[in-house]
Amino acid sequence: MTIIVTGGAGFIGSNFIFHMLAEHPEDRIICLDKLTYAGNLSTLKDIMDKPNFRFVKLDICDREGVYQLFEEEKPDAVVNFAAESHVDRSIENPSIFLQTNIIGTSVLMDACRAFGNVRYHQVSTDEVYGDLPLDRPDLFFTEETPIHTSSPYSSSKAGADLLVLAYLRTYGLPVTISRCSNNYGPYHFPEKLIPLMIANCLNDKPLPVYGEGKNVRDWLYVEDHCKAIDLILHKGRIGEVYNVGGHNEMANIDIVKLICHELHKPESLITHVTDRKGHDMRYAIDPTKIHSELGWLPETKFEDGIKKTIRWYLDNKPWWEEIISGEYQNYYERMYGNR
Ligand code: NAD
Ligand code: TDX
């Protein structure tokens, strides 16, 4: 198979490419990425010369460029990771989220239609379901939970999901959607909670917890997400949505304390800052469908995954130090300066 992986220079997309090259060496992988602030070519340096890998710098909204790539590569499948992915940035400036996450998705699917009804997988998020209350631990997101978004980011992802299902019904495009919970692991951009707290801890900088830090996220090691997408791509039923998550709920404050503990740093680094606008309280996935239909189960326990992740950031300082020494500093000042 020839597979176009969009957003493959980002966090999950790069991990997915490594997974696919290792598990399916007979496949050809084309990484299409615009290299926004979140895309990092150095992440892909070890695979750049592989004969069954090609990197193409391209915007998924660039219709002409995307069609030309389809013409050249005649892909069998597209897996779309490309997105603006950070909730705080979407609160600051929604429009680029609508452009990339919705328009970009439609351009990719139009190309799939134009070049022989190419198999299309949309990487979505549990955030399309909105949030759950903290005092109802019995409630979980299933695939039937109504879409009910909170942020411009999640609304743009929900818009894309609706479009994907519309392309199935209207044009018969062979699509699937996965909605995953929060990922963590190597190559996670240090604007997100876990890598930001690791980097700040290592630099003895304050650890900015939004509000009281009671918000709960359902954390999944990135490799487990990649395996789920691989399974859905090969064995998933066309037209279906699959929730992906590992029943691993943790409050933000507990994650931050755990990182302090693992790095032998004092909890006094923790500072409570102004809460995120519209901050979702709790995400929790019910993964029954993907387990019973495709046999997927998470393999990495959080205790192991977080240790592996912290180890990775210790061993790969140049990767994230280069990021936080650049434009990131302006972002950090804008986001946290007066908080
Ligand atoms: P990321 O921000 O780390 O990476 C996004 C990548 O997409 C970057 O390489 C960037 O350069 C590229 N990109 C952005 N706009 C583009 C455009 N217009 N054209 C081409 N490339 C573009 O994101 P991530 O955390 O790896 O998330 C990947 C996908 O998974 C997203 O669709 C996100 O919504 C979804 N998701 C993420 C999580 C999570 O916890 N990170 C959880 C569930 C779902
Ligand atoms: O500095 C911080 N302090 C803090 O308390 C940051 C960056 C975050 N937080 C809180 C906000 C959230 O409750 O930590 C939690 C996690 O925040 P993020 O890492 O920004 O992730 P989240 O908003 O939960 O969204 C993530 O999971 C779902 C991804 O960024 C999305 O792309 C994905 O769809």
Side-chain angles (χ1 to χ4, degrees), residues 69-80:
L69 184 64
F70 272 63
E71 179 74 56
E72 282 168 26
E73 292 290 348
K74 312 252 178 315
D76 301 292
V78 172
V79 181
N80 181 25

Side-chain angles (χ1 to χ4, degrees), residues 85-88 125-127 153 182 191-193 196-197 208-210 215 217 219 252 276 279 283 336:
S85 68
H86 191 35
V87 173
D88 293 325
T125 168
D126 60 358
E127 296 197 18
Y153 163 70
N182 286 59
E191 66 188 347
K192 308 284 169 58
L193 179 75
L196 184 144
M197 296 300 169
V209 170
Y210 298 167
N215 308 64
R217 298 293 182 266
W219 294 95
N252 295 339
R276 176 183 276 174
H279 199 173
Y283 303 143
Y336 297 95

Side-chain angles (χ1 to χ4, degrees), residues 11-12 83-88 97 123-128 151 153-154 157 180-183 188-197 200 207-219 250-253 255-256 271-276 279-283 328 331-332 335-336 339:
F11 166 43
I12 311 175
E84 289 293 333
S85 68
H86 191 35
V87 173
D88 293 325
F97 284 73
V123 181
S124 185
T125 168
D126 60 358
E127 296 197 18
V128 301
S151 70
Y153 163 70
S154 54
K157 293 295 290 185
C180 190
S181 61
N182 286 59
N183 285 213
H188 203 179
F189 194 86
E191 66 188 347
K192 308 284 169 58
L193 179 75
I194 288 182
L196 184 144
M197 296 300 169
N200 282 16
L207 307 175
V209 170
Y210 298 167
E212 290 183 77
K214 288 186 175 157
N215 308 64
V216 167
R217 298 293 182 266
D218 181 359
W219 294 95
M250 288 187 68
N252 295 339
I253 188 72
I255 300 250
V256 178
T271 49
H272 290 272
V273 301
T274 310
D275 211 348
R276 176 183 276 174
H279 199 173
D280 281 337
M281 271 331 290
R282 171 176 169 250
Y283 303 143
Y328 180 87
Y331 164 80
Y332 202 89
M335 241 1 132
Y336 297 95
R339 205 152 177 163

Side-chain angles (χ1 to χ4, degrees), residues 2-4 70 74-79 108-121 172-175 238:
T2 294
I3 305 172
I4 292 183
F70 272 63
K74 312 252 178 315
D76 301 292
V78 172
V79 181
L108 290 173
M109 291 194 298
D110 284 341
C112 286
R113 288 177 55 216
F115 289 85
N117 229 23
V118 173
R119 174 82 171 84
Y120 180 88
H121 180 74
L173 193 70
V175 302
I238 297 303

